[in-house]
Amino acid sequence: MPDLVTVVDHPLVQHKLTLMRDKTTSTAGFRQLLREISHLLAYEVTRDLDMTTRRIETPLQVIDAPILDGKKLALISILRAGNGLLDGILDLIPAARVGFVGLYRDEGTLKPVQYYFKVPDRLEERATIVVDPMLATGNSAVAAVDLLKQAGAANIRFLCLLAAPEGIACMTQAHPDVPIVTASVDERLNDHGYIVPGLGDAGDRMYGTK
Ligand code: URA
């Protein structure tokens, strides 16, 4: 596994992931689990954020206490499934700025085409976390990061729930400067581009659209 990839093997993450993979888990249960697991993944993906200190006064003394440095984080959701991870991360980082990237696959060229792009200003000054539960072929992730770099982002990390080896290879080749944090690297992609064993279509599972 390239050094760029962190697999979060914490027991709580793996337990929740198993419940999410189970096809008998309800839509409400899936959504709740996604929210909970995104808290734990957010903890890991923000582990190396820059810190500074702020002078404060506790009831007992003045101290220089640690605090996040720099401008507010940018969280970028790849529509639509990214929104499930986004909601949980915002519970932990409520002051983060939020952007959305919408991409669809052109059936002729099979390449991702942008239909929506709205991101916070001054991306070049922000740590940017791109979220999408499923890193499958990697095509949308690569296209989203391309767009974010064009918009100025320079400190980018990618957070997903499941990754296929094919998606990791695609991302690390196109964007070797973007670390990936995931709860699992699964076996492979099937002929329909689904991650196996996976959890099915993340958007359908979280929004009950199938
Ligand atoms: N997107 C999904 O929602 N699931 C997969 O398995 C692959 C891509």
Side-chain angles (χ1 to χ4, degrees), residues 134 136 193-195 200-202:
M134 311 299 270
Y194 278 86
I195 298 177
D201 186 296

Side-chain angles (χ1 to χ4, degrees), residues 100-129:
F100 297 93
V101 180
L103 300 161
Y104 71 89
R105 194 166 76 143
D106 182 296
E107 290 310 329
T109 64
L110 300 182
K111 295 260 186 271
V113 181
Q114 167 193 334
Y115 67 85
Y116 191 77
F117 188 76
K118 183 85 180 171
V119 295
D121 67 357
R122 296 164 75 178
L123 275 186
E124 57 284 356
E125 296 171 40
R126 303 180 191 276
T128 299
I129 305 175

Side-chain angles (χ1 to χ4, degrees), residues 4 45-46 48-49 73-78 101 117 119 122-132 140-159 171 174-181:
L4 274 179
V45 77
T46 52
D48 64 346
L49 288 181
L73 278 177
L75 302 176
I76 309 293
S77 169
I78 302 183
V101 180
F117 188 76
V119 295
R122 296 164 75 178
L123 275 186
E124 57 284 356
E125 296 171 40
R126 303 180 191 276
T128 299
I129 305 175
V130 184
V131 297
D132 187 348
S140 332
V142 166
V145 172
D146 282 341
L147 291 168
L148 291 167
K149 285 184 174 174
Q150 283 164 29
N155 175 5
I156 305 176
R157 52 204 85 188
F158 186 86
L159 177 64
M171 260 297 271
H175 296 295
D177 56 320
V178 175
I180 298 168
V181 174

Side-chain angles (χ1 to χ4, degrees), residues 42-62:
Y43 179 80
E44 196 58 45
V45 77
T46 52
R47 184 178 281 285
D48 64 346
L49 288 181
D50 290 340
M51 301 294 292
T52 183
T53 56
R54 176 186 291 173
R55 178 148 303 180
I56 57 161
E57 213 175 326
T58 78
L60 301 178
Q61 81 177 63
V62 172

Side-chain angles (χ1 to χ4, degrees), residues 13-23 25 33 37:
V13 170
Q14 294 304 315
H15 178 86
K16 289 177 195 297
L17 180 58
T18 296
L19 300 180
M20 294 180 76
R21 290 184 190 273
D22 185 341
K23 68 176 186 184
T25 296
L33 285 160
I37 210 169

